[in-house]
Amino acid sequence: MDHHCPWLNNCVGHYNHRYFLQFCVFMWIGTVYVSISVWPLFYEEFFGTPGAVYQPKEHSNSNGLYEGDVVKYVSLYGQTFHSCILLEFFLCSGVVVALGALTMWHVRLITRGETSIEAHINRSETKRLKKLGLVYKNPYDFGPLENWRKFLGLGDNRVFWRHVIFPSSHLPLGDGLKWLKAQNNCFITYDKPYVLSQQ
């Protein structure tokens, strides 16, 4: 298991970890798109007069208002529109930052051949073994390229475009219970996997 995700209301593990990362990436791309698309409106609403009504030149009234002049009242529609634009931009921009950080953290974990839980275990084991003069090596780290290939389930003639970019329900490699180890000289126990080697 990688972690329990409260936003998906589900645990993320062997069979749905790829879908979780794809969800994060596609959601991030969508929020970036919305933030960029709404920027001109946001700029106008945030730095201009919120919800102001502009009087076109050809329809100028008896007060002598021309195009670009701002009527001094703000309609209810204008206030609502102003609030919605500001909310949309700030919400999407916040999600871009937060979801971008979460996605990058998971990209880093996958590159290192770790899950969220293993990252915490590996960090504590590294500190513990360092005090003993030993070096900890993650036994499931096959190198960045192979870690990604295993994560995406690319094997058995599966290709990136067909099985990752386009919707695909192919199963990941393995059964999620037994895992191949990268090193042959590792000593594995249930709760303390580490490689014994002198510094």
Side-chain angles (χ1 to χ4, degrees):
M1 182 179 93
D2 186 78
H3 68 285
H4 179 78
C5 180
W7 311 112
L8 299 177
N9 193 26
N10 199 359
C11 288
V12 175
H14 180 66
Y15 288 104
N16 63 354
H17 196 184
R18 175 170 52 97
Y19 300 117
F20 168 76
L21 185 71
Q22 286 178 316
F23 169 77
C24 289
V25 169
F26 295 151
M27 187 72 172
W28 183 81
I29 291 170
T31 53
V32 166
Y33 174 77
V34 170
S35 296
I36 292 171
S37 297
V38 83
W39 170 252
L41 278 174
F42 169 77
Y43 186 85
E44 180 182 322
E45 289 293 322
F46 192 74
F47 296 106
T49 303
V53 177
Y54 291 90
Q55 189 78 16
K57 186 175 183 179
E58 59 271 18
H59 295 96
S60 61
N61 60 21
S62 59
N63 295 332
L65 291 171
Y66 295 103
E67 187 175 2
D69 291 338
V70 178
V71 177
K72 298 301 182 186
Y73 69 90
V74 178
S75 67
L76 179 61
Y77 170 78
Q79 291 173 346
T80 305
F81 182 78
H82 172 77
S83 300
C84 288
I85 293 297
L86 295 184
L87 177 66
E88 179 183 25
F89 183 78
F90 286 126
L91 187 63
C92 284
S93 299
V95 170
V96 164
V97 173
L99 189 58
L102 175 71
T103 303
M104 290 309 297
W105 187 60
H106 275 278
V107 165
R108 179 178 164 265
L109 290 177
I110 294 164
T111 303
R112 296 172 61 176
E114 297 177 324
T115 64
S116 300
I117 296 171
E118 288 173 341
H120 298 294
I121 294 170
N122 291 350
R123 191 178 311 119
S124 63
E125 284 299 299
T126 299
K127 291 178 185 175
R128 186 181 71 82
L129 291 174
K130 188 174 183 180
K131 292 176 184 176
L132 300 174
L134 302 172
V135 176
Y136 174 80
K137 292 183 183 175
N138 181 6
Y140 305 107
D141 184 4
F142 289 85
L145 191 61
E146 186 65 16
N147 288 340
W148 275 98
R149 193 187 71 76
K150 288 181 177 301
F151 172 77
L152 296 172
L154 297 178
D156 303 326
N157 296 323
R158 295 177 184 159
V159 292
F160 182 79
W161 291 105
R162 169 63 185 94
H163 294 95
V164 177
I165 298 297
F166 295 116
S168 173
S169 60
H170 72 278
L171 294 175
L173 302 174
D175 61 2
L177 298 175
K178 297 182 285 291
W179 299 91
L180 292 174
K181 295 183 259 314
Q183 296 93 3
N184 292 327
N185 61 340
C186 59
F187 174 72
I188 303 288
T189 64
Y190 180 73
D191 58 343
K192 291 187 176 73
Y194 53 87
V195 175
L196 299 177
S197 61
Q198 295 296 329
Q199 281 185 341

